[in-house]
Amino acid sequence: MRDYRDFLGEILISEKQLQERIAELGAEISRDYRDKNVLLICILRGGVMFLTDLMRQITIPHAIEFMAVSSYGVGERETTGLVRITLDLNTPIHERDVILVEDIVDSGQTIASVLDLLSTRKPRSLCVCALLDKIERREVQIPVRYVGFTIPNKFVFGYGLDIDNYYRNLPFVGVVDLEKYEALRAKS
Ligand code: IMP
Ligand code: MG
């Protein structure tokens, strides 16, 4: 695997900026959901870093759950529009105040499918908290109640977001120089 520096275009959001914004989101959620029965549902795998940092900034009692969906495969850079649930919840969400925790909303197809599915299970409330919003690319209008950062239409990686399943561990969000990345991929 290549060192990420070989194809990093620029650091879009630094570790410090991420942590400061996540602290604000955590405080906001703690205020808005006081006395609610909060369940954070993390969409695997991209949402994992965001979830673990966000929950440490939420000061009210809450539970967590995980779901996984597949939207696109290695070498593909956008969703096919066909979203499959590959891991479902183990608990009923009836009477829970559900917050869906996502890394990024791009076309909106993934979140739209998950919202459709979860609303059939009649939670007490349901909203979306996304770290990143690539708003220019939206195909399906979905309500996003909490947004960390609105970003331009560029392929990003790090802080939970992968490029072909790697580099999720980086503490910042970087822009992929796709030309460099694809050239390196063709060589290996
Ligand atoms: P959507 O269904 O088009 O909104 O795509 C959402 C999913 O695509 C996200 O949950 C991410 O996993 C992935 N995704 C979208 N844009 C990027 C990106 O720039 N970098 C890495 N993953 C992305
Ligand atoms: Mg994701």
Side-chain angles (χ1 to χ4, degrees), residues 123-184:
R124 188 155 68 189
S125 66
L126 177 59
C127 83
V128 177
C129 174
L131 179 67
L132 308 175
D133 188 355
K134 231 191 251 180
I135 201 154
E136 279 170 55
R137 299 246 310 166
R138 199 72 92 257
E139 293 166 11
V140 204
Q141 286 318 312
I142 46 152
V144 186
R145 178 161 180 191
Y146 303 98
V147 178
F149 301 86
T150 300
I151 64 164
N153 182 13
K154 292 181 175 165
F155 201 81
V156 292
F157 72 118
Y159 198 74
L161 293 122
D162 68 305
I163 176 156
D164 298 336
N165 286 324
Y166 286 84
Y167 312 104
R168 295 187 195 272
N169 58 306
L170 301 172
F172 55 81
V173 175
V175 175
V176 183
D177 182 329
L178 280 173
E179 240 167 72
K180 278 190 192 162
Y181 181 81
E182 298 302 349
L184 290 168

Side-chain angles (χ1 to χ4, degrees), residues 58-75:
I58 297 180
T59 52
I60 54 171
H62 62 274
I64 61 168
E65 272 289 338
F66 295 91
M67 280 181 83
V69 297
S70 74
S71 45
Y72 54 77
V74 168

Side-chain angles (χ1 to χ4, degrees), residues 93 112-123 126:
I93 56 170
S113 309
V114 176
L115 284 175
D116 274 355
L117 174 73
L118 294 182
S119 39
T120 64
R121 299 179 189 173
K122 306 272 180 268
L126 177 59

Side-chain angles (χ1 to χ4, degrees), residues 43-47 69 71-72 102-104 110 160-162 168:
I43 318 264
L44 294 174
R45 287 161 295 213
V69 297
S71 45
Y72 54 77
E102 247 290 46
D103 51 357
I104 186 167
T110 306
L161 293 122
D162 68 305
R168 295 187 195 272

Side-chain angles (χ1 to χ4, degrees), residues 94-105:
H94 190 65
E95 295 183 355
R96 311 297 292 270
D97 295 292
V98 173
I99 304 178
L100 267 183
V101 178
E102 247 290 46
D103 51 357
I104 186 167
V105 186

